[in-house]
Amino acid sequence: MARSTTCKRFFMDHHVDFNSYLNLEELLPHLNKQQLLTSDEMDKLMLPSQTRQEKTCELVKIMCIKGDRAPSLFVKCVRDAAEHLPHSDLADKLENWLINNQSATGLTDTLATSSGSEPTSHSPQPSKPSSLKRQHNSDQSSGEPSKRTRTSSPDPQSCSDFSRQCITSPLQVFADNLRTTYTQAKFFRRAAGPASKKMQYISLALIKKQKANHIDREQDKFLKSTLHDSADDIIKKKEQIQLDRVFAYGEDQPRKLVLVEGAPGIGKTMLALEMCRLWAKGEFLNEEYYLLVLVTLRRFQKKSVVTLKDIINIYLEGDIRDKAVEQAFCSQGDRMLIILEGWDELPPELREESSFFFDIVEGNKLPKASVLVTSRPSVTADLYDYMDERHIEVLGFDTEQITQYVQLHGGEMSETILSHLNKFPNLKALAHIPLTLSIICHVARMAALPHTLTELYEQYICNTLYQNCKKQSNPALNSINGITSLSKLPPEIKSVFNLLCILAMDSFKQKKFVYSREDLQRVGLNSDNQKRFDGYGLLNTPNNSAVAGFDIVYQFHHLSIQEFLAAYGIQKLDRSEQVRLLRKFRDDLQFRNVWKFFSGITKLIDKNFQKIMITETGKANRAQIFLLHCVYEANNQAVSEKAAEKFYRVLNLSNMFLNTTDCLCAAHMVTSAGGGWTLDFRGCNIGDNGLSILKMSLVRFAETNSVHDFKITSFNLTHNRITASAISHLVEILSCNIQLEGLALSYNPIGDEGIGNLATALESNTTVTVLQFNECEITNVGVAKIANILEGLNKSIKEIQLSDVGMTSVGLTALSNMAAINRTLETLRIDRNNLQPRDSELIANIIERNNSLKLLDLSKIPIANQGFHKILDALIAKPTSSLVKLGVFGCGIASPKGIEKLVTLFGVTQTLTRIQLGCNQIDDEGAKLLGHALQQNTSRSVKAVILERTRVSEDGKKMLQEICDSLNVGRDDGQKVEVVFTDHAHLRKLREAPHL
């Protein structure tokens, strides 16, 4: 890139001379004959429509490209061009330019070789090409010196590096400095987390544009392995990809944009550093990119205005930096790759579309440069419009790699660590993150593993302080040995540690992640204790080069450590200041982990803390989940009970994506507060793994908590991807809750096997009143098992839902036999099953033999007029039937014959209040019969007839409304009758409601 830029600069400066004096008619055939121009290039240059200037510019462009790819060919082009320049002044300029820019064009060795001499280390300037050594007769005859200015050679004794630097392009110096920096061992100290030479843990996935539905999440094994039930999960289709294929797309697209996402500590920084190291060694992207510039964005915290000079500041300084910036802009970033590492750690104003960094992404600055951005997913939404062609996720550890890593680094504690991870899902859920797993292994070698994240980080920091005191031979070594609580630190360490916490707290409020020497001094960390502070191992020290206007000296190893220390610093403040900060930043998403750690450190004992965190927390589901996490970290019985009172012992987390840690915290709340709980997890997508965590946590907490007994009175698990293999977990939960009243498993693929596994637990539970198994992929076998269960629940069951389970007459027969002996069943939903008109006899038998049924939903069963008449006959024969609501939506009923018997039924029934007749072939004639039927309802029991999506005209609707108005004269509001022509949205809402 530097060569072509420099070459092009010369030709552009002298393009007038070239246009005037370059003999294209002679030069082009000559270059073609010498095979320096291809036929295609010749055709392009000889187009009749081109002007002489356009042909010259095109030739210059081709010469520059050849110089960039093959210096020897470029020299021949330049030499031959010079021979076709009759104007001696231009020839002199060209010769002098070549002499003074040999290294700038990368032609040092090539020029020397072309002249027949070999370059040596003692030759600061190689010999000139023989074709450029020509002497003009006029110069020789007159004895006057040549007009051409020549560069004098330096003393051979003092040449070497100095002379080479003098003649080297600024961008070449930049590239050399980058390679030197990237190959230094200390360069990799900037990455937080483990650095194991024994295993490679940077796993990548190529994210596709299509969103993944619940079927993809369950059936796509690779996608499923990348989901860790985290807020940073990317729910899109993916495929595995290797590092060397990250930029392997769009061959005709010179500018490439790649977005790399992943959770904190998962290895995004390590990936960026690895790319730099491989490029510096010539093993990655060297052919594609002349420059690979790593920009660590967390360093740009102070200035709201950033320039390219600020970025290059890290690697160059002085005049050479300014020249490199100038050359980079002249080339428009051609063959340059910029890695913007840590987009999420930029201040908000530097992530705006008007910022310098956004200009680089968008192409307003350096439009030919390729860009790779690393970030957490939470702040990258604005980048998707520009970086949607290549989307990469850093995956961290999979299950097998977690085991491998623990076995490699856990030592004798390996088995204990793995067992502990299985018992505490809040830790296991984070074990796929290399940083967290390294902390777990580190702590396990020194002390017993804790249960909460607060305890884990506290032990990790204690161990880190001890290890660094040991390394520095600190006199405090003996007094800190074995300490697992930061409150017990010796005074000489505690004083500096407290200042470190103040630094973390103050800078976190300012969204600041790097610190200058002045920042340290501002909180009291003067130069005397700075060395001891250095040795504690909680900070690292990147390059001290001036960046963005100030000297960077320190940064915390990782954001999570800064979050913990900030929380520890807050708890050291006056109580009034703690309350002020808690109230101000409680709802700030960037402070969420700080307040979780704060809850663990303070136990939320203070009533002001409880008021802000519990009483004043909003009722939104996400706010409730945050509160559950804080209560778990606090591990305080009184706090759990107060939170339970706020929830009224009802955890309604419906339609929230719950991860395994959320499930753990919910289980902790239920067991620690005690009492009877309603758990509504509809649409939470917890899957088999989440149910396993719930079971393990509920059972374990129940065994260890002797203060309160707990019970789950209602458990709604609708739409959670639970399969038959996980029903055993539910059975164990039910064994601890023999007073369960309601269980909903609709829209989970549990199948007949799952129903069979559940049967035993339900048979021993005599308090169940509601069972919902809609669309559970069961067959008649499963229905028969449910019927057997219901026979055992003869004295309690009130509602059974079996919509769309593929039931036929075989299953319906089992239900009919059950209903004959049942005395409590009030709701039966068997809509959308594979029943036929002849099966209406079995339905009629249920009506005839059961005296408790109040709601019967037969929607979408094709019973037609014949089947409908059989059901109506059963109701007519039993005018005091308990049935209150009947649903025959979309059952193929046609007027007038299908409606005729309703006149008789309405005339005798004393209990039926609502009938759903929507989506049937009912026209104005049927509407007349319905109007007459309503007039015959002398008991006034019928209150609503629903005619959604029928063929009743506007006149028919008007007629029915007039009949209703006449019937409602003198009736109270609770006794009025109505005919409802609802829209489809209202109908859907009605159909999904607990009652018809």
Side-chain angles (χ1 to χ4, degrees):
M1 178 178 64
R3 293 196 296 270
S4 63
T5 303
T6 313
C7 300
K8 199 166 187 177
R9 173 65 60 82
F10 173 79
F11 286 116
M12 290 174 65
D13 290 344
H14 302 288
H15 70 90
V16 176
D17 292 331
F18 268 80
N19 284 332
S20 302
Y21 300 107
L22 195 62
N23 190 338
L24 291 176
E25 289 74 13
E26 294 182 11
L27 176 61
L28 295 181
H30 175 76
L31 294 178
N32 181 246
K33 184 177 180 181
Q34 297 294 321
Q35 296 184 345
L36 298 177
L37 285 177
T38 66
S39 299
D40 291 341
E41 290 168 340
M42 281 290 293
D43 294 341
K44 188 182 294 186
L45 289 166
M46 298 301 289
L47 290 173
S49 59
Q50 283 187 324
T51 65
R52 183 179 182 84
Q53 182 176 359
E54 289 173 339
K55 292 179 181 180
T56 304
C57 291
E58 186 64 31
L59 176 60
V60 168
K61 180 179 179 182
I62 293 173
M63 292 166 73
C64 290
I65 293 174
K66 290 181 181 296
D68 210 25
R69 295 178 178 173
S72 60
L73 293 178
F74 179 72
V75 170
K76 291 181 181 179
C77 286
V78 173
R79 185 168 62 234
D80 290 336
E83 290 176 351
H84 289 78
L85 289 174
H87 185 60
S88 60
D89 286 344
L90 182 57
D92 290 344
K93 292 176 184 178
L94 179 58
E95 179 185 351
N96 285 324
W97 173 79
L98 281 172
I99 293 171
N100 293 321
N101 293 276
Q102 291 172 52
S103 290
T105 55
L107 303 176
T108 305
D109 295 342
T110 307
L111 288 173
T113 304
S114 68
S115 65
S117 61
E118 295 294 331
T120 67
S121 60
H122 300 291
S123 302
Q125 285 200 185
S127 302
K128 302 166 221 174
S130 56
S131 61
L132 296 177
K133 288 184 177 179
R134 50 201 172 99
Q135 301 289 330
H136 297 283
N137 294 331
S138 59
D139 293 343
Q140 293 176 349
S141 61
S142 64
E144 294 181 0
S146 171
K147 295 180 182 179
R148 289 165 286 182
T149 58
R150 305 183 186 278
T151 305
S152 59
S153 301
D155 182 4
Q157 301 297 324
S158 61
C159 76
S160 196
D161 294 338
F162 176 78
S163 62
R164 184 174 294 275
Q165 289 177 12
C166 291
I167 61 176
T168 301
S169 159
L171 283 183
Q172 180 64 51
V173 175
F174 189 16
D176 292 342
N177 283 8
L178 288 172
R179 287 187 170 87
T180 301
T181 301
Y182 295 162
T183 52
Q184 293 175 349
K186 65 179 181 180
F187 179 66
F188 279 85
R189 294 176 192 164
R190 298 164 58 187
S196 173
K197 297 180 180 179
K198 298 181 180 179
M199 67 179 297
Q200 174 71 22
Y201 63 88
I202 298 179
S203 301
L204 304 175
L206 174 64
I207 301 170
K208 300 181 180 180
K209 295 181 182 180
Q210 304 97 318
K211 289 186 177 181
N213 56 36
H214 69 280
I215 298 176
D216 296 323
R217 299 178 203 176
E218 193 61 39
Q219 297 181 356
D220 188 331
K221 292 183 179 179
F222 177 70
L223 171 63
K224 193 173 180 179
S225 69
T226 69
L227 302 179
H228 302 283
D229 300 328
S230 161
D232 293 303
D233 277 345
I234 300 173
I235 316 296
K236 290 187 177 180
K237 294 184 179 180
K238 308 171 188 177
E239 64 182 34
Q240 198 154 14
I241 188 173
Q242 300 301 317
L243 178 60
D244 59 357
R245 303 296 299 169
V246 169
F247 287 88
Y249 78 101
E251 295 182 1
D252 57 343
Q253 185 177 340
R255 171 176 163 83
K256 299 184 178 181
L257 301 175
V258 178
L259 176 60
V260 176
E261 294 184 326
I266 205 163
K268 300 185 296 296
T269 299
M270 183 61 72
L271 173 65
L273 298 181
E274 181 70 3
M275 285 182 171
C276 294
R277 185 184 70 83
L278 292 175
W279 174 82
K281 291 176 64 179
E283 299 175 3
F284 181 66
L285 298 177
N286 281 82
E287 294 294 327
E288 295 85 352
Y289 299 109
Y290 183 73
L291 284 175
L292 190 154
V293 185
L294 175 67
V295 185
T296 304
L297 296 179
R298 76 181 321 192
R299 295 179 171 186
F300 295 90
Q301 303 293 323
K302 189 173 182 179
K303 294 180 65 174
S304 59
V305 179
V306 181
T307 66
L308 184 60
K309 188 181 296 185
D310 295 325
I311 294 175
I312 298 182
N313 246 349
I314 305 169
Y315 307 101
L316 293 175
E317 56 185 14
D319 293 340
I320 193 74
R321 176 200 61 199
D322 298 337
K323 292 179 180 178
V325 171
E326 181 182 358
Q327 287 191 7
F329 274 110
C330 287
S331 70
Q332 297 184 323
D334 187 34
R335 290 189 64 199
M336 178 187 293
L337 171 60
I338 301 174
I339 298 179
L340 301 178
E341 194 273 313
W343 185 266
D344 53 308
E345 298 183 44
L346 274 175
E349 63 269 17
L350 291 183
R351 293 199 303 266
E352 294 177 353
E353 294 192 13
S354 59
S355 72
F356 173 79
F357 294 117
F358 215 106
D359 280 343
I360 289 182
V361 172
E362 198 171 0
N364 297 329
K365 296 283 195 305
L366 304 176
K368 293 184 179 180
S370 296
V371 182
L372 181 144
V373 177
T374 71
S375 177
R376 289 183 63 172
S378 56
V379 297
T380 54
D382 292 338
L383 294 175
Y384 288 160
D385 291 340
Y386 305 95
M387 310 189 76
D388 63 342
E389 291 298 323
R390 204 64 162 178
H391 193 178
I392 305 293
E393 180 183 10
V394 182
L395 301 177
F397 291 133
D398 58 26
T399 303
E400 183 178 349
Q401 288 173 325
I402 290 174
T403 303
Q404 290 177 7
Y405 187 88
V406 171
Q407 290 172 345
L408 284 171
H409 299 277
E412 297 178 354
M413 298 295 296
S414 298
E415 295 303 321
T416 302
I417 294 172
L418 293 173
S419 176
H420 193 82
L421 291 177
N422 288 328
K423 288 183 179 179
F424 292 93
N426 58 324
L427 301 182
K428 185 176 182 179
L430 298 174
H432 74 285
I433 299 176
L435 173 65
T436 305
L437 189 58
S438 69
I439 291 176
I440 292 172
C441 291
H442 178 89
V443 170
R445 292 195 298 268
M446 305 292 291
L449 279 168
H451 301 168
T452 67
L453 281 178
T454 305
E455 294 168 350
L456 176 70
Y457 271 80
E458 183 170 20
Q459 289 191 19
Y460 169 71
I461 291 173
C462 287
N463 293 345
T464 301
L465 296 176
Y466 170 76
Q467 293 293 337
N468 279 271
C469 286
K470 185 177 180 180
K471 182 179 179 180
Q472 300 293 336
S473 300
N474 193 306
L477 179 63
N478 292 331
S479 58
I480 198 176
N481 188 14
I483 287 180
T484 58
S485 173
L486 293 172
S487 62
K488 298 180 181 179
L489 290 176
E492 59 270 30
I493 294 179
K494 181 181 290 187
S495 60
V496 179
F497 177 76
N498 287 340
L499 294 177
L500 177 61
C501 293
I502 294 173
L503 175 69
M505 174 187 63
D506 290 346
S507 56
F508 207 93
K509 289 187 290 185
Q510 303 169 26
K511 305 295 192 296
K512 187 174 182 178
F513 305 103
V514 291
Y515 316 104
S516 67
R517 194 174 298 273
E518 290 75 16
D519 291 327
L520 300 180
Q521 293 173 350
R522 195 175 298 117
V523 298
L525 291 163
N526 55 44
S527 57
D528 293 336
N529 60 19
Q530 203 162 318
K531 288 186 178 179
R532 287 181 289 158
F533 179 71
D534 232 3
Y536 288 167
L538 298 176
L539 300 177
N540 58 17
T541 54
N543 241 327
N544 289 340
S545 304
V547 178
F550 61 98
D551 290 338
I552 298 178
V553 289
Y554 289 114
Q555 61 190 33
F556 286 99
H557 277 303
H558 197 266
L559 180 62
S560 58
I561 294 175
Q562 182 177 349
E563 288 170 335
F564 178 88
L565 295 178
Y568 203 87
I570 292 174
Q571 66 93 26
K572 288 288 185 181
L573 299 174
D574 292 338
R575 191 58 52 86
S576 59
E577 181 64 10
Q578 293 177 10
V579 170
R580 187 188 72 82
L581 290 176
L582 185 55
R583 183 166 276 120
K584 180 178 180 180
F585 293 107
R586 182 197 60 193
D587 297 326
D588 190 323
L589 293 179
Q590 288 189 302
F591 267 79
R592 280 291 165 93
N593 285 335
V594 174
W595 298 129
K596 290 177 187 178
F597 284 133
F598 180 80
S599 300
I601 294 169
T602 64
K603 304 299 181 185
L604 296 179
I605 294 175
D606 190 276
K607 291 185 178 180
N608 289 313
F609 298 163
Q610 294 177 17
K611 179 181 178 182
I612 298 171
M613 294 297 289
I614 300 175
T615 308
E616 296 179 3
T617 297
K619 295 183 179 181
N621 288 357
R622 184 52 63 185
Q624 291 190 37
I625 293 174
F626 169 61
L627 176 56
L628 289 176
H629 282 256
C630 292
V631 171
Y632 177 80
E633 291 293 325
N635 197 20
N636 183 327
Q637 186 74 38
V639 171
S640 297
E641 291 177 2
K642 189 158 189 174
E645 292 174 4
K646 174 185 175 61
F647 292 132
Y648 298 102
R649 285 182 168 76
V650 176
L651 273 184
N652 183 0
L653 303 176
S654 58
N655 299 317
M656 294 296 297
F657 186 89
L658 299 184
N659 60 44
T660 50
T661 306
D662 298 334
C663 294
L664 170 82
C665 296
H668 174 265
M669 170 71 78
V670 170
T671 55
S672 60
W677 283 82
T678 295
L679 302 183
D680 190 350
F681 286 5
R682 285 174 297 167
C684 290
N685 209 34
I686 64 172
D688 292 356
N689 192 36
L691 187 58
S692 171
I693 296 303
L694 274 173
K695 178 266 301 185
M696 185 168 55
S697 304
L698 287 169
V699 172
R700 179 168 54 84
F701 290 145
E703 293 174 349
T704 58
N705 191 342
S706 58
V707 179
H708 292 298
D709 292 330
F710 79 94
K711 63 179 180 178
I712 300 175
T713 57
S714 179
F715 203 179
N716 194 331
L717 290 168
T718 300
H719 273 303
N720 271 289
R721 299 185 296 115
I722 297 170
T723 65
S725 59
I727 293 299
S728 59
H729 305 314
L730 183 58
V731 170
E732 289 193 52
I733 294 175
L734 296 180
S735 66
C736 300
N737 293 271
I738 58 174
Q739 294 180 325
L740 182 72
E741 296 177 4
L743 177 64
L745 280 169
S746 297
Y747 308 101
N748 289 294
I750 60 175
D752 295 339
E753 181 184 355
I755 294 294
N757 295 336
L758 194 60
T760 304
L762 290 175
E763 287 172 357
S764 61
N765 192 315
T766 59
T767 59
V768 174
T769 59
V770 178
L771 289 175
Q772 298 179 4
F773 298 115
N774 303 321
E775 292 191 36
C776 286
E777 298 184 9
I778 61 178
T779 66
N780 289 318
V781 175
V783 174
K785 291 179 179 179
I786 293 173
N788 291 334
I789 294 172
L790 296 177
E791 289 181 8
L793 298 173
N794 189 38
K795 296 181 180 180
S796 64
I797 191 69
K798 292 184 178 180
E799 178 179 336
I800 179 71
Q801 295 190 18
L802 290 169
S803 303
D804 197 8
V805 296
M807 177 170 47
T808 65
S809 57
V810 176
L812 185 58
T813 300
L815 281 180
S816 177
N817 294 335
M818 175 276 301
I821 60 175
N822 184 277
R823 298 294 181 267
T824 58
L825 185 65
E826 296 180 355
T827 299
L828 178 62
R829 293 183 180 273
I830 54 173
D831 53 295
R832 293 172 292 157
N833 278 294
N834 299 330
L835 301 175
Q836 302 301 320
R838 63 177 180 274
D839 297 323
S840 299
E841 293 183 4
L842 294 172
I843 298 172
N845 288 338
I846 293 175
I847 295 173
E848 293 171 355
R849 301 166 67 183
N850 187 283
N851 295 316
S852 60
L853 191 63
K854 293 182 178 180
L855 185 150
L856 178 61
D857 190 359
L858 306 174
S859 299
K860 290 292 183 179
I861 297 176
I863 57 176
N865 290 347
Q866 178 183 358
F868 188 42
H869 287 173
K870 291 180 180 179
I871 295 171
L872 294 181
D873 286 340
L875 290 171
I876 293 170
K878 193 177 180 180
T880 58
S881 166
S882 58
L883 195 66
V884 175
K885 300 174 183 179
L886 175 64
V888 285
F889 177 91
C891 289
I893 301 168
S895 59
K897 291 185 178 180
I899 305 299
E900 289 174 348
K901 283 200 174 183
L902 277 178
V903 177
T904 305
L905 174 63
F906 281 19
V908 299
T909 184
Q910 299 178 24
T911 57
L912 188 67
T913 62
R914 176 187 291 261
I915 184 168
Q916 165 63 275
L917 288 166
C919 202
N920 284 296
Q921 300 173 29
I922 301 174
D923 53 17
D924 286 354
E925 189 173 354
K928 290 180 182 178
L929 290 171
L930 279 173
H932 182 53
L934 289 171
Q935 292 171 335
Q936 298 298 314
N937 185 228
T938 56
S939 67
R940 299 185 178 184
S941 65
V942 178
K943 303 297 187 301
V945 176
I946 301 175
L947 293 176
E948 162 67 16
R949 295 167 61 186
T950 58
R951 299 176 180 178
V952 179
S953 67
E954 292 300 320
D955 290 339
K957 293 177 182 178
K958 184 178 180 181
M959 178 268 297
L960 284 172
Q961 186 60 52
E962 290 175 352
I963 291 175
C964 290
D965 291 342
S966 64
L967 291 174
N968 290 332
V969 174
R971 293 188 182 185
D972 297 334
D973 289 342
Q975 298 295 320
K976 289 182 178 181
V977 62
E978 63 177 344
V979 177
V980 182
F981 297 92
T982 60
D983 59 20
H984 191 60
H986 178 78
L987 174 67
R988 185 166 58 250
K989 181 178 179 181
L990 184 68
R991 295 265 298 115
E992 292 175 354
H995 299 291
L996 186 63

